[in-house]
Amino acid sequence: MDHLTSSGEPRERAADRLRQASAHWLRHTAGSHMMDGQVDLRYVRDNLGHASISTTSQYLHADGDDRHRATETELKLNW
């Protein structure tokens, strides 16, 4: 942590954010990374111990551009 605070303002902001980290924050980050890594939603649910898949679905962070490209690719009309 001392290294971050002595490395200039951008690093000091990172150190401040890290100081605010909680177990819940780390858990949410892990869930988000699993989803970003294309881990099956059911596995993420089980890894996080959620009873409902709808709870786990909050970790889906599809980027708007990615969502648009996927939709455009899958739903192309051949007129």
Side-chain angles (χ1 to χ4, degrees):
M1 189 76 69
D2 290 337
H3 174 70
L4 286 175
T5 57
S6 66
S7 301
E9 185 182 340
R11 300 285 186 180
E12 287 177 25
R13 286 194 305 260
D16 287 340
R17 183 158 164 92
L18 190 57
R19 278 189 206 96
Q20 297 171 14
S22 66
H24 182 262
W25 181 75
L26 294 172
R27 177 182 167 85
H28 183 79
T29 300
S32 295
H33 282 288
M34 283 186 271
M35 294 306 304
D36 291 345
Q38 305 298 312
V39 175
D40 187 291
L41 187 60
R42 295 168 299 169
Y43 299 153
V44 178
R45 177 200 59 202
D46 294 345
N47 288 340
L48 296 176
H50 294 157
S52 170
I53 202 85
S54 64
T55 303
T56 311
S57 67
Q58 72 178 320
Y59 294 92
L60 294 169
H61 301 288
D63 179 67
D65 291 338
D66 289 342
R67 186 177 57 245
H68 176 74
R69 277 191 294 274
T71 302
E72 187 178 61
T73 300
E74 296 300 321
L75 298 175
K76 227 173 227 190
L77 300 175
N78 295 318
W79 291 6

